[in-house]
Amino acid sequence: MHKVTTHQTSLVVFTNHSHGPDTFPRLSSCSCSIEQWDSDEPVPRSELLAKVAGIRGLYCLLTEKIDAEVLDAAGRSLQVVSTMSVGYDHVSLEELKKRGIRLGYTPDVLTEAVAELTVALLLATSRRLLEAVHEAKNGGWGTWKPLWMCGYGLTDSTVGILGLGRIGAAVTARLKPFGVKRFLYADIGPRPDMATKIPAEFVPLEELARHSDFIVVCCALTPETQGICDNGLFSLMKDTAIFINTSRGGVVNQEDLYQALVNGQIAAAGLDVTEPEPLPTDHPLFKLKNCGESVLIAVHQWLLARMGRDGVPSLCLPETGYWSDPVRLFLCSCVIIRPVVLPVLVL
Protein backbone atom coordinates (compact mmCIF):
# COMPACT_ATOMS: atom_id res chain seq x y z
CA MET A 1 0.00 0.00 0.00
CA HIS A 2 1.12 3.52 -0.81
CA LYS A 3 0.24 5.92 1.98
CA VAL A 4 -0.29 9.67 1.59
CA THR A 5 -0.90 11.64 4.78
CA THR A 6 -2.18 15.20 4.71
CA HIS A 7 -3.58 16.34 8.07
CA GLN A 8 -4.49 12.96 9.54
CA THR A 9 -8.14 13.11 10.33
CA SER A 10 -10.29 10.66 8.44
CA LEU A 11 -8.94 7.57 6.72
CA VAL A 12 -9.98 6.86 3.15
CA VAL A 13 -8.63 3.78 1.44
CA PHE A 14 -8.39 3.70 -2.33
CA THR A 15 -8.03 0.20 -3.70
CA ASN A 16 -7.68 1.47 -7.23
CA HIS A 17 -4.38 0.86 -8.99
CA SER A 18 -3.24 3.25 -11.75
CA HIS A 19 -4.07 6.55 -10.06
CA GLY A 20 -1.54 8.57 -8.11
CA PRO A 21 -2.50 11.00 -5.35
CA ASP A 22 -2.46 13.86 -7.86
CA THR A 23 -5.47 12.31 -9.54
CA PHE A 24 -7.55 13.38 -6.54
CA PRO A 25 -6.19 16.86 -5.73
CA ARG A 26 -9.36 18.07 -3.99
CA LEU A 27 -9.44 15.06 -1.70
CA SER A 28 -5.67 15.08 -1.14
CA SER A 29 -5.84 18.71 -0.03
CA CYS A 30 -8.33 17.90 2.72
CA SER A 31 -7.67 16.62 6.20
CA CYS A 32 -7.44 12.94 5.48
CA SER A 33 -5.12 10.01 5.21
CA ILE A 34 -5.12 8.09 1.93
CA GLU A 35 -3.84 4.58 1.43
CA GLN A 36 -3.60 3.36 -2.13
CA TRP A 37 -2.71 0.00 -3.61
CA ASP A 38 0.34 0.81 -5.73
CA SER A 39 0.32 -2.04 -8.23
CA ASP A 40 -1.41 -2.59 -11.57
CA GLU A 41 -2.45 -6.01 -10.31
CA PRO A 42 -5.62 -6.37 -8.21
CA VAL A 43 -5.15 -5.93 -4.49
CA PRO A 44 -4.86 -9.34 -2.76
CA ARG A 45 -7.95 -10.23 -0.79
CA SER A 46 -6.00 -10.62 2.44
CA GLU A 47 -4.45 -7.18 2.01
CA LEU A 48 -7.82 -5.59 1.28
CA LEU A 49 -9.41 -7.16 4.35
CA ALA A 50 -6.55 -5.99 6.54
CA LYS A 51 -6.47 -2.41 5.26
CA VAL A 52 -10.20 -1.63 5.34
CA ALA A 53 -10.44 -1.91 9.12
CA GLY A 54 -11.68 1.35 10.58
CA ILE A 55 -11.98 3.27 7.30
CA ARG A 56 -14.74 5.75 6.53
CA GLY A 57 -14.66 5.64 2.73
CA LEU A 58 -13.67 2.93 0.24
CA TYR A 59 -12.90 3.53 -3.43
CA CYS A 60 -12.70 0.40 -5.55
CA LEU A 61 -12.62 -1.11 -9.03
CA LEU A 62 -14.45 -3.99 -10.69
CA THR A 63 -11.67 -6.32 -9.55
CA GLU A 64 -12.58 -5.88 -5.88
CA LYS A 65 -15.55 -7.89 -4.65
CA ILE A 66 -17.22 -5.79 -1.97
CA ASP A 67 -19.31 -8.23 0.04
CA ALA A 68 -20.24 -8.97 3.63
CA GLU A 69 -16.71 -10.15 4.44
CA VAL A 70 -15.16 -6.83 3.37
CA LEU A 71 -17.87 -4.74 5.04
CA ASP A 72 -17.52 -6.70 8.28
CA ALA A 73 -13.76 -6.16 8.16
CA ALA A 74 -14.28 -2.43 7.67
CA GLY A 75 -16.61 -2.15 10.64
CA ARG A 76 -19.17 0.46 11.60
CA SER A 77 -17.00 3.40 10.62
CA LEU A 78 -17.51 2.78 6.89
CA GLN A 79 -20.01 5.27 5.48
CA VAL A 80 -19.55 5.16 1.72
CA VAL A 81 -18.25 2.90 -1.05
CA SER A 82 -17.51 4.41 -4.44
CA THR A 83 -16.63 2.31 -7.48
CA MET A 84 -14.81 3.50 -10.59
CA SER A 85 -17.24 1.78 -12.93
CA VAL A 86 -20.62 2.08 -14.58
CA GLY A 87 -21.61 -1.40 -13.44
CA TYR A 88 -21.82 -2.36 -9.76
CA ASP A 89 -22.49 -6.08 -9.84
CA HIS A 90 -19.25 -6.63 -7.87
CA VAL A 91 -20.78 -4.81 -4.88
CA SER A 92 -23.39 -6.44 -2.66
CA LEU A 93 -26.24 -3.93 -2.63
CA GLU A 94 -28.14 -5.93 -0.06
CA GLU A 95 -25.23 -5.88 2.39
CA LEU A 96 -24.75 -2.13 1.92
CA LYS A 97 -28.43 -1.52 2.50
CA LYS A 98 -28.37 -3.54 5.73
CA ARG A 99 -25.60 -1.30 7.05
CA GLY A 100 -26.90 2.04 5.76
CA ILE A 101 -23.78 2.51 3.62
CA ARG A 102 -24.07 4.68 0.53
CA LEU A 103 -22.80 3.58 -2.86
CA GLY A 104 -21.41 5.82 -5.56
CA TYR A 105 -20.70 4.87 -9.18
CA THR A 106 -19.83 6.62 -12.43
CA PRO A 107 -22.74 6.59 -14.88
CA ASP A 108 -22.53 8.14 -18.34
CA VAL A 109 -18.82 8.95 -18.25
CA LEU A 110 -18.07 5.90 -20.43
CA THR A 111 -21.22 5.99 -22.55
CA GLU A 112 -19.55 7.38 -25.66
CA ALA A 113 -16.44 5.21 -25.30
CA VAL A 114 -18.44 2.00 -24.90
CA ALA A 115 -20.76 2.90 -27.78
CA GLU A 116 -17.79 3.49 -30.07
CA LEU A 117 -16.20 0.22 -29.01
CA THR A 118 -19.48 -1.62 -29.59
CA VAL A 119 -19.76 -0.35 -33.15
CA ALA A 120 -16.09 -1.16 -33.80
CA LEU A 121 -16.58 -4.68 -32.48
CA LEU A 122 -19.74 -5.14 -34.55
CA LEU A 123 -18.05 -4.02 -37.77
CA ALA A 124 -14.88 -6.02 -37.16
CA THR A 125 -16.94 -9.15 -36.47
CA SER A 126 -19.54 -8.83 -39.21
CA ARG A 127 -17.03 -7.86 -41.90
CA ARG A 128 -14.50 -10.46 -40.71
CA LEU A 129 -11.67 -7.96 -40.45
CA LEU A 130 -9.38 -9.99 -38.18
CA GLU A 131 -9.81 -13.04 -40.37
CA ALA A 132 -8.90 -10.95 -43.40
CA VAL A 133 -5.77 -9.60 -41.70
CA HIS A 134 -4.79 -13.12 -40.69
CA GLU A 135 -5.18 -14.37 -44.27
CA ALA A 136 -3.16 -11.47 -45.63
CA LYS A 137 -0.32 -12.11 -43.17
CA ASN A 138 -0.25 -15.87 -43.64
CA GLY A 139 -0.47 -16.22 -47.41
CA GLY A 140 -4.16 -17.01 -47.63
CA TRP A 141 -4.80 -14.03 -49.91
CA GLY A 142 -4.59 -15.50 -53.38
CA THR A 143 -6.44 -14.76 -56.58
CA TRP A 144 -9.70 -12.85 -56.35
CA LYS A 145 -12.75 -14.95 -55.52
CA PRO A 146 -16.22 -13.34 -55.67
CA LEU A 147 -17.56 -14.71 -52.38
CA TRP A 148 -14.34 -15.19 -50.40
CA MET A 149 -14.37 -13.53 -46.96
CA CYS A 150 -17.85 -12.10 -47.45
CA GLY A 151 -19.43 -10.74 -44.32
CA TYR A 152 -22.71 -9.05 -43.45
CA GLY A 153 -23.61 -5.39 -43.94
CA LEU A 154 -25.74 -3.01 -41.89
CA THR A 155 -27.63 -1.42 -44.80
CA ASP A 156 -31.34 -2.35 -44.68
CA SER A 157 -30.72 -4.56 -41.65
CA THR A 158 -32.62 -4.99 -38.39
CA VAL A 159 -30.64 -4.32 -35.21
CA GLY A 160 -31.87 -5.58 -31.86
CA ILE A 161 -30.73 -3.88 -28.65
CA LEU A 162 -30.98 -5.84 -25.40
CA GLY A 163 -31.13 -3.10 -22.77
CA LEU A 164 -32.00 0.35 -24.14
CA GLY A 165 -30.21 2.56 -21.64
CA ARG A 166 -27.70 5.35 -22.25
CA ILE A 167 -25.22 3.04 -23.98
CA GLY A 168 -27.86 1.25 -26.06
CA ALA A 169 -29.21 4.58 -27.29
CA ALA A 170 -25.69 5.84 -28.07
CA VAL A 171 -25.03 2.68 -30.09
CA THR A 172 -28.18 3.21 -32.19
CA ALA A 173 -27.17 6.83 -32.86
CA ARG A 174 -23.88 5.61 -34.31
CA LEU A 175 -25.46 2.82 -36.34
CA LYS A 176 -28.22 4.91 -37.98
CA PRO A 177 -25.90 6.51 -40.58
CA PHE A 178 -25.08 3.00 -41.86
CA GLY A 179 -28.61 2.72 -43.20
CA VAL A 180 -30.14 0.40 -40.59
CA LYS A 181 -33.75 -0.17 -41.60
CA ARG A 182 -35.25 -1.07 -38.21
CA PHE A 183 -34.28 -0.94 -34.55
CA LEU A 184 -35.88 -3.29 -32.03
CA TYR A 185 -35.26 -3.37 -28.30
CA ALA A 186 -36.05 -5.62 -25.38
CA ASP A 187 -35.94 -4.38 -21.80
CA ILE A 188 -37.71 -4.82 -18.48
CA GLY A 189 -40.38 -2.50 -19.87
CA PRO A 190 -41.02 0.03 -22.65
CA ARG A 191 -38.85 3.16 -22.69
CA PRO A 192 -40.92 5.46 -24.92
CA ASP A 193 -39.00 8.67 -24.20
CA MET A 194 -35.75 7.17 -25.40
CA ALA A 195 -37.20 4.87 -28.07
CA THR A 196 -39.19 7.59 -29.84
CA LYS A 197 -36.05 9.57 -30.59
CA ILE A 198 -34.37 6.63 -32.37
CA PRO A 199 -37.05 5.36 -33.31
CA ALA A 200 -37.01 1.84 -31.87
CA GLU A 201 -39.78 -0.69 -31.31
CA PHE A 202 -40.25 -2.47 -27.98
CA VAL A 203 -40.67 -6.23 -28.48
CA PRO A 204 -40.37 -9.40 -26.39
CA LEU A 205 -36.89 -10.90 -26.32
CA GLU A 206 -38.04 -13.89 -28.39
CA GLU A 207 -39.28 -11.62 -31.19
CA LEU A 208 -36.09 -9.60 -31.06
CA ALA A 209 -34.09 -12.81 -31.50
CA ARG A 210 -36.17 -13.98 -34.48
CA HIS A 211 -36.08 -10.74 -36.46
CA SER A 212 -32.66 -9.19 -35.73
CA ASP A 213 -29.71 -9.40 -38.09
CA PHE A 214 -27.51 -8.02 -35.31
CA ILE A 215 -28.11 -8.36 -31.57
CA VAL A 216 -26.22 -5.96 -29.32
CA VAL A 217 -26.26 -6.65 -25.57
CA CYS A 218 -26.10 -3.46 -23.48
CA CYS A 219 -28.03 -4.44 -20.34
CA ALA A 220 -26.73 -4.41 -16.78
CA LEU A 221 -25.88 -7.67 -15.04
CA THR A 222 -28.61 -8.36 -12.49
CA PRO A 223 -30.15 -11.55 -11.08
CA GLU A 224 -32.79 -11.21 -13.81
CA THR A 225 -30.27 -10.89 -16.67
CA GLN A 226 -27.76 -13.48 -15.41
CA GLY A 227 -27.34 -15.97 -18.28
CA ILE A 228 -30.27 -14.48 -20.22
CA CYS A 229 -28.44 -15.03 -23.51
CA ASP A 230 -28.60 -18.82 -23.61
CA ASN A 231 -29.59 -21.62 -25.94
CA GLY A 232 -33.19 -20.44 -25.83
CA LEU A 233 -32.11 -17.13 -27.38
CA PHE A 234 -29.51 -18.50 -29.81
CA SER A 235 -31.87 -21.17 -31.13
CA LEU A 236 -34.32 -18.46 -32.22
CA MET A 237 -31.73 -16.30 -33.98
CA LYS A 238 -31.08 -16.32 -37.72
CA ASP A 239 -28.14 -18.42 -38.84
CA THR A 240 -26.76 -15.25 -40.42
CA ALA A 241 -27.10 -13.17 -37.23
CA ILE A 242 -24.21 -11.44 -35.45
CA PHE A 243 -24.14 -11.42 -31.64
CA ILE A 244 -22.28 -8.60 -29.84
CA ASN A 245 -21.79 -8.28 -26.07
CA THR A 246 -20.19 -5.24 -24.42
CA SER A 247 -22.15 -5.38 -21.14
CA ARG A 248 -21.03 -8.12 -18.73
CA GLY A 249 -19.83 -11.65 -19.36
CA GLY A 250 -22.33 -13.08 -16.89
CA VAL A 251 -25.24 -12.07 -19.13
CA VAL A 252 -24.20 -14.82 -21.57
CA ASN A 253 -24.17 -18.58 -21.07
CA GLN A 254 -20.81 -19.11 -22.77
CA GLU A 255 -21.23 -22.86 -23.23
CA ASP A 256 -24.51 -22.24 -25.06
CA LEU A 257 -22.84 -19.55 -27.15
CA TYR A 258 -20.01 -21.92 -28.02
CA GLN A 259 -22.47 -24.59 -29.14
CA ALA A 260 -24.45 -22.05 -31.18
CA LEU A 261 -21.28 -21.05 -33.03
CA VAL A 262 -20.06 -24.61 -33.53
CA ASN A 263 -23.43 -25.77 -34.82
CA GLY A 264 -23.94 -22.76 -37.08
CA GLN A 265 -27.02 -21.52 -35.23
CA ILE A 266 -25.58 -18.00 -35.50
CA ALA A 267 -22.95 -16.58 -37.82
CA ALA A 268 -20.53 -14.82 -35.49
CA ALA A 269 -19.91 -13.35 -32.06
CA GLY A 270 -17.98 -10.31 -30.90
CA LEU A 271 -17.26 -10.21 -27.16
CA ASP A 272 -15.71 -7.39 -25.18
CA VAL A 273 -16.60 -9.14 -21.91
CA THR A 274 -16.33 -12.76 -20.81
CA GLU A 275 -16.73 -14.98 -17.77
CA PRO A 276 -14.16 -15.11 -16.27
CA GLU A 277 -11.91 -12.20 -17.20
CA PRO A 278 -9.39 -12.68 -18.55
CA LEU A 279 -10.65 -15.69 -20.46
CA PRO A 280 -8.07 -18.54 -20.30
CA THR A 281 -6.05 -18.70 -23.50
CA ASP A 282 -7.02 -22.35 -23.98
CA HIS A 283 -10.75 -21.63 -23.78
CA PRO A 284 -12.71 -23.31 -26.62
CA LEU A 285 -14.09 -19.96 -27.81
CA PHE A 286 -10.60 -18.92 -28.87
CA LYS A 287 -10.39 -21.94 -31.17
CA LEU A 288 -13.50 -21.09 -33.19
CA LYS A 289 -11.81 -19.18 -35.97
CA ASN A 290 -13.46 -21.31 -38.67
CA CYS A 291 -16.80 -21.93 -36.95
CA GLY A 292 -19.66 -19.84 -38.29
CA GLU A 293 -17.95 -16.79 -39.72
CA SER A 294 -15.72 -15.58 -36.90
CA VAL A 295 -15.36 -15.14 -33.17
CA LEU A 296 -13.75 -11.91 -32.01
CA ILE A 297 -12.86 -11.67 -28.33
CA ALA A 298 -11.38 -8.40 -27.11
CA VAL A 299 -10.06 -7.38 -23.69
CA HIS A 300 -12.58 -5.57 -21.49
CA GLN A 301 -10.20 -2.62 -21.07
CA TRP A 302 -10.94 -1.55 -24.65
CA LEU A 303 -13.95 0.34 -23.41
CA LEU A 304 -11.79 2.90 -21.63
CA ALA A 305 -10.99 5.64 -24.10
CA ARG A 306 -8.43 8.05 -22.69
CA MET A 307 -10.93 10.86 -22.20
CA GLY A 308 -13.37 8.49 -20.53
CA ARG A 309 -10.72 6.96 -18.27
CA ASP A 310 -9.54 10.37 -17.10
CA GLY A 311 -13.11 11.46 -16.45
CA VAL A 312 -14.03 8.60 -14.12
CA PRO A 313 -11.95 9.64 -11.07
CA SER A 314 -13.18 13.21 -11.48
CA LEU A 315 -16.80 12.06 -11.36
CA CYS A 316 -16.03 10.41 -8.03
CA LEU A 317 -15.25 13.84 -6.56
CA PRO A 318 -17.46 16.93 -6.44
CA GLU A 319 -16.84 20.17 -8.27
CA THR A 320 -16.67 22.20 -5.07
CA GLY A 321 -13.87 22.14 -2.54
CA TYR A 322 -15.35 23.88 0.48
CA TRP A 323 -16.27 20.78 2.51
CA SER A 324 -14.25 20.65 5.70
CA ASP A 325 -14.83 16.95 6.37
CA PRO A 326 -13.21 14.62 3.79
CA VAL A 327 -15.92 12.00 4.25
CA ARG A 328 -18.57 14.62 3.51
CA LEU A 329 -16.53 15.48 0.43
CA PHE A 330 -16.49 11.83 -0.55
CA LEU A 331 -20.19 11.38 0.17
CA CYS A 332 -21.32 14.38 -1.86
CA SER A 333 -19.30 13.03 -4.78
CA CYS A 334 -21.36 9.87 -5.02
CA VAL A 335 -24.11 9.23 -7.49
CA ILE A 336 -26.45 7.29 -5.24
CA ILE A 337 -28.03 4.06 -6.38
CA ARG A 338 -31.61 4.26 -5.13
CA PRO A 339 -31.92 0.84 -3.44
CA VAL A 340 -29.11 1.80 -1.07
CA VAL A 341 -30.21 5.30 -0.13
CA LEU A 342 -32.14 4.35 3.01
CA PRO A 343 -31.33 5.03 5.72
CA VAL A 344 -30.07 8.41 4.51
CA LEU A 345 -26.87 9.63 6.11
CA VAL A 346 -27.14 13.25 7.30
CA LEU A 347 -24.37 15.43 5.92
Side-chain angles (χ1 to χ4, degrees):
M1 281 280 188
H2 176 66
K3 186 169 184 176
V4 179
T5 304
T6 53
H7 301 293
Q8 297 224 13
T9 307
S10 301
L11 177 65
V12 180
V13 173
F14 293 94
T15 60
N16 69 306
H17 38 77
S18 304
H19 297 293
D22 292 341
T23 307
F24 307 96
R26 291 188 293 279
L27 190 56
S28 297
S29 64
C30 294
S31 302
C32 62
S33 176
I34 301 171
E35 288 201 47
Q36 177 186 356
W37 179 244
D38 55 3
S39 169
D40 282 335
E41 296 301 317
V43 57
R45 184 74 172 181
S46 59
E47 184 81 3
L48 176 62
L49 292 172
K51 291 295 182 179
V52 297
I55 64 170
R56 297 178 69 187
L58 174 63
Y59 180 98
C60 65
L61 295 184
L62 288 169
T63 48
E64 281 78 58
K65 185 174 179 61
I66 309 304
D67 54 12
E69 184 182 28
V70 172
L71 300 177
D72 287 342
R76 295 185 177 182
S77 61
L78 183 61
Q79 297 178 33
V80 61
V81 173
S82 191
T83 177
M84 190 183 120
S85 60
V86 177
Y88 42 85
D89 46 276
H90 57 299
V91 180
S92 174
L93 301 185
E94 195 60 37
E95 292 297 330
L96 292 187
K97 188 175 181 179
K98 286 179 185 177
R99 295 165 171 80
I101 298 171
R102 286 191 165 190
L103 174 64
Y105 69 132
T106 55
D108 208 32
V109 71
L110 293 176
T111 297
E112 309 304 320
V114 178
E116 291 171 6
L117 177 276
T118 302
V119 173
L121 194 59
L122 185 152
L123 291 172
T125 305
S126 63
R127 300 312 298 264
R128 305 174 64 181
L129 295 186
L130 292 191
E131 285 184 86
V133 170
H134 177 80
E135 294 296 328
K137 286 182 176 180
N138 293 280
W141 185 12
T143 58
W144 180 75
K145 305 177 187 70
L147 300 180
W148 185 63
M149 296 299 297
C150 280
Y152 298 94
L154 282 161
T155 303
D156 291 328
S157 68
T158 296
V159 174
I161 306 292
L162 177 51
L164 189 66
R166 288 182 296 266
I167 292 173
V171 169
T172 64
R174 285 157 176 77
L175 291 180
K176 285 180 74 173
F178 286 93
V180 174
K181 184 177 182 179
R182 187 184 182 201
F183 286 104
L184 307 176
Y185 76 98
D187 212 316
I188 56 175
R191 308 197 66 173
D193 292 345
M194 195 170 288
T196 302
K197 297 174 184 177
I198 297 173
E201 180 184 350
F202 177 70
V203 296
L205 183 57
E206 294 78 9
E207 186 174 340
L208 181 140
R210 290 190 185 97
H211 295 288
S212 296
D213 300 299
F214 301 85
I215 289 183
V216 181
V217 183
C218 302
C219 61
L221 177 60
T222 66
E224 292 73 28
T225 62
Q226 179 80 40
I228 194 172
C229 299
D230 58 10
N231 181 62
L233 177 78
F234 300 131
S235 64
L236 296 175
M237 291 171 62
K238 302 177 182 180
D239 60 9
T240 56
I242 308 294
F243 178 81
I244 304 296
N245 184 20
T246 54
S247 59
R248 286 288 186 270
V251 173
V252 179
N253 183 316
Q254 283 179 179
E255 176 58 29
D256 287 357
L257 174 60
Y258 173 79
Q259 293 300 327
L261 290 162
V262 168
N263 298 326
Q265 285 180 309
I266 65 174
L271 310 176
D272 172 59
V273 286
T274 59
E275 189 73 28
E277 291 182 0
L279 198 64
T281 55
D282 61 351
H283 194 281
L285 280 172
F286 280 123
K287 306 181 189 303
L288 289 182
K289 178 183 172 183
N290 296 320
C291 292
E293 294 294 335
S294 64
V295 180
L296 196 163
I297 301 173
V299 296
H300 192 170
Q301 203 72 357
W302 271 23
L303 63 80
L304 290 176
R306 173 53 60 183
M307 185 179 296
R309 184 194 303 245
D310 291 345
V312 174
S314 299
L315 188 60
C316 291
L317 294 177
E319 292 304 317
T320 55
Y322 57 82
W323 297 93
S324 59
D325 185 334
V327 173
R328 289 189 177 190
L329 178 73
F330 202 38
L331 278 169
C332 74
S333 76
C334 294
V335 180
I336 304 301
I337 299 173
R338 293 186 182 277
V340 195
V341 170
L342 298 176
V344 176
L345 295 176
V346 180
L347 296 179

Tab-separated table of all heavy atoms in Angstrom, residues 238-259:
chain	number	residue	atom	x	y	z
A	238	LYS	N	-31.392	-15.938	-36.344
A	238	LYS	CA	-31.082	-16.320	-37.722
A	238	LYS	C	-29.691	-16.936	-37.777
A	238	LYS	O	-28.803	-16.560	-36.989
A	238	LYS	CB	-31.126	-15.090	-38.623
A	238	LYS	CG	-32.440	-14.345	-38.647
A	238	LYS	CD	-32.323	-13.102	-39.519
A	238	LYS	CE	-33.603	-12.295	-39.534
A	238	LYS	NZ	-33.501	-11.084	-40.386
A	239	ASP	N	-29.479	-17.838	-38.722
A	239	ASP	CA	-28.143	-18.423	-38.835
A	239	ASP	C	-27.150	-17.460	-39.478
A	239	ASP	O	-25.958	-17.753	-39.577
A	239	ASP	CB	-28.185	-19.750	-39.605
A	239	ASP	CG	-28.727	-19.604	-41.019
A	239	ASP	OD1	-28.929	-18.458	-41.492
A	239	ASP	OD2	-28.948	-20.652	-41.672
A	240	THR	N	-27.633	-16.304	-39.896
A	240	THR	CA	-26.761	-15.246	-40.421
A	240	THR	C	-26.570	-14.112	-39.412
A	240	THR	O	-25.943	-13.099	-39.723
A	240	THR	CB	-27.368	-14.661	-41.704
A	240	THR	OG1	-28.701	-14.205	-41.429
A	240	THR	CG2	-27.407	-15.704	-42.818
A	241	ALA	N	-27.111	-14.257	-38.212
A	241	ALA	CA	-27.104	-13.173	-37.229
A	241	ALA	C	-25.746	-13.029	-36.545
A	241	ALA	O	-25.009	-13.994	-36.350
A	241	ALA	CB	-28.185	-13.407	-36.180
A	242	ILE	N	-25.444	-11.786	-36.163
A	242	ILE	CA	-24.215	-11.442	-35.453
A	242	ILE	C	-24.577	-11.073	-34.021
A	242	ILE	O	-25.478	-10.258	-33.787
A	242	ILE	CB	-23.496	-10.247	-36.117
A	242	ILE	CG1	-23.291	-10.493	-37.613
A	242	ILE	CG2	-22.178	-9.962	-35.408
A	242	ILE	CD1	-22.366	-11.619	-37.948
A	243	PHE	N	-23.867	-11.657	-33.062
A	243	PHE	CA	-24.138	-11.424	-31.637
A	243	PHE	C	-22.980	-10.626	-31.040
A	243	PHE	O	-21.810	-11.028	-31.138
A	243	PHE	CB	-24.278	-12.758	-30.915
A	243	PHE	CG	-24.511	-12.649	-29.425
A	243	PHE	CD1	-25.774	-12.382	-28.930
A	243	PHE	CD2	-23.462	-12.816	-28.530
A	243	PHE	CE1	-25.996	-12.283	-27.566
A	243	PHE	CE2	-23.667	-12.719	-27.166
A	243	PHE	CZ	-24.940	-12.452	-26.677
A	244	ILE	N	-23.292	-9.482	-30.420
A	244	ILE	CA	-22.280	-8.596	-29.837
A	244	ILE	C	-22.591	-8.366	-28.361
A	244	ILE	O	-23.722	-8.020	-28.012
A	244	ILE	CB	-22.231	-7.235	-30.567
A	244	ILE	CG1	-21.991	-7.410	-32.065
A	244	ILE	CG2	-21.159	-6.331	-29.947
A	244	ILE	CD1	-20.648	-8.013	-32.426
A	245	ASN	N	-21.594	-8.536	-27.498
A	245	ASN	CA	-21.790	-8.284	-26.065
A	245	ASN	C	-20.710	-7.366	-25.532
A	245	ASN	O	-19.524	-7.704	-25.532
A	245	ASN	CB	-21.769	-9.591	-25.269
A	245	ASN	CG	-22.059	-9.362	-23.788
A	245	ASN	OD1	-22.628	-8.337	-23.409
A	245	ASN	ND2	-21.667	-10.309	-22.952
A	246	THR	N	-21.119	-6.168	-25.078
A	246	THR	CA	-20.195	-5.243	-24.416
A	246	THR	C	-20.729	-4.851	-23.040
A	246	THR	O	-20.394	-3.797	-22.515
A	246	THR	CB	-19.970	-3.974	-25.266
A	246	THR	OG1	-21.232	-3.385	-25.594
A	246	THR	CG2	-19.222	-4.292	-26.549
A	247	SER	N	-21.584	-5.698	-22.461
A	247	SER	CA	-22.151	-5.381	-21.143
A	247	SER	C	-21.366	-6.072	-20.035
A	247	SER	O	-20.415	-5.519	-19.490
A	247	SER	CB	-23.628	-5.758	-21.094
A	247	SER	OG	-23.819	-7.139	-21.349
A	248	ARG	N	-21.733	-7.307	-19.721
A	248	ARG	CA	-21.026	-8.117	-18.730
A	248	ARG	C	-21.023	-9.561	-19.221
A	248	ARG	O	-21.990	-10.041	-19.824
A	248	ARG	CB	-21.723	-8.050	-17.360
A	248	ARG	CG	-21.512	-6.734	-16.620
A	248	ARG	CD	-20.094	-6.609	-16.099
A	248	ARG	NE	-19.928	-5.421	-15.275
A	248	ARG	CZ	-19.557	-4.224	-15.732
A	248	ARG	NH1	-19.350	-4.066	-17.030
A	248	ARG	NH2	-19.408	-3.220	-14.906
A	249	GLY	N	-19.946	-10.267	-18.927
A	249	GLY	CA	-19.832	-11.649	-19.363
A	249	GLY	C	-20.898	-12.544	-18.789
A	249	GLY	O	-21.350	-13.497	-19.434
A	250	GLY	N	-21.341	-12.250	-17.561
A	250	GLY	CA	-22.327	-13.084	-16.887
A	250	GLY	C	-23.703	-13.069	-17.527
A	250	GLY	O	-24.552	-13.909	-17.209
A	251	VAL	N	-23.955	-12.127	-18.424
A	251	VAL	CA	-25.237	-12.071	-19.127
A	251	VAL	C	-25.366	-13.229	-20.121
A	251	VAL	O	-26.467	-13.617	-20.489
A	251	VAL	CB	-25.376	-10.709	-19.852
A	251	VAL	CG1	-26.608	-10.667	-20.744
A	251	VAL	CG2	-25.424	-9.577	-18.833
A	252	VAL	N	-24.224	-13.784	-20.536
A	252	VAL	CA	-24.200	-14.817	-21.568
A	252	VAL	C	-23.836	-16.172	-20.974
A	252	VAL	O	-22.887	-16.283	-20.187
A	252	VAL	CB	-23.181	-14.453	-22.669
A	252	VAL	CG1	-23.117	-15.539	-23.742
A	252	VAL	CG2	-23.533	-13.109	-23.294
A	253	ASN	N	-24.562	-17.197	-21.356
A	253	ASN	CA	-24.171	-18.575	-21.068
A	253	ASN	C	-23.148	-18.962	-22.136
A	253	ASN	O	-23.508	-19.240	-23.281
A	253	ASN	CB	-25.386	-19.498	-21.116
A	253	ASN	CG	-25.052	-20.934	-20.763
A	253	ASN	OD1	-24.056	-21.490	-21.220
A	253	ASN	ND2	-25.893	-21.552	-19.951
A	254	GLN	N	-21.872	-18.947	-21.775
A	254	GLN	CA	-20.815	-19.109	-22.770
A	254	GLN	C	-20.792	-20.495	-23.393
A	254	GLN	O	-20.417	-20.640	-24.562
A	254	GLN	CB	-19.452	-18.764	-22.158
A	254	GLN	CG	-19.237	-17.284	-22.032
A	254	GLN	CD	-17.918	-16.899	-21.422
A	254	GLN	OE1	-17.631	-15.728	-21.293
A	254	GLN	NE2	-17.092	-17.852	-21.031
A	255	GLU	N	-21.181	-21.517	-22.657
A	255	GLU	CA	-21.234	-22.858	-23.231
A	255	GLU	C	-22.303	-22.918	-24.319
A	255	GLU	O	-22.083	-23.506	-25.392
A	255	GLU	CB	-21.523	-23.891	-22.145
A	255	GLU	CG	-21.697	-25.320	-22.653
A	255	GLU	CD	-20.507	-25.850	-23.418
A	255	GLU	OE1	-19.361	-25.420	-23.133
A	255	GLU	OE2	-20.706	-26.685	-24.326
A	256	ASP	N	-23.457	-22.284	-24.048
A	256	ASP	CA	-24.513	-22.239	-25.057
A	256	ASP	C	-24.068	-21.433	-26.269
A	256	ASP	O	-24.392	-21.788	-27.419
A	256	ASP	CB	-25.788	-21.637	-24.468
A	256	ASP	CG	-26.491	-22.597	-23.518
A	256	ASP	OD1	-26.024	-23.743	-23.361
A	256	ASP	OD2	-27.515	-22.195	-22.922
A	257	LEU	N	-23.344	-20.346	-26.037
A	257	LEU	CA	-22.835	-19.547	-27.149
A	257	LEU	C	-21.855	-20.359	-27.990
A	257	LEU	O	-21.911	-20.340	-29.227
A	257	LEU	CB	-22.147	-18.280	-26.628
A	257	LEU	CG	-21.444	-17.416	-27.680
A	257	LEU	CD1	-22.435	-16.915	-28.734
A	257	LEU	CD2	-20.712	-16.247	-27.023
A	258	TYR	N	-20.978	-21.075	-27.316
A	258	TYR	CA	-20.011	-21.921	-28.020
A	258	TYR	C	-20.734	-22.940	-28.907
A	258	TYR	O	-20.386	-23.111	-30.090
A	258	TYR	CB	-19.127	-22.637	-26.995
A	258	TYR	CG	-18.190	-23.661	-27.593
A	258	TYR	CD1	-17.009	-23.262	-28.212
A	258	TYR	CD2	-18.488	-25.021	-27.554
A	258	TYR	CE1	-16.141	-24.201	-28.774
A	258	TYR	CE2	-17.647	-25.962	-28.106
A	258	TYR	CZ	-16.471	-25.540	-28.717
A	258	TYR	OH	-15.628	-26.470	-29.276
A	259	GLN	N	-21.733	-23.591	-28.365
A	259	GLN	CA	-22.475	-24.585	-29.136
A	259	GLN	C	-23.214	-23.941	-30.310
A	259	GLN	O	-23.296	-24.518	-31.404
A	259	GLN	CB	-23.462	-25.329	-28.237
A	259	GLN	CG	-22.812	-26.217	-27.183
A	259	GLN	CD	-21.933	-27.307	-27.789
A	259	GLN	OE1	-22.216	-27.821	-28.880
A	259	GLN	NE2	-20.871	-27.672	-27.086
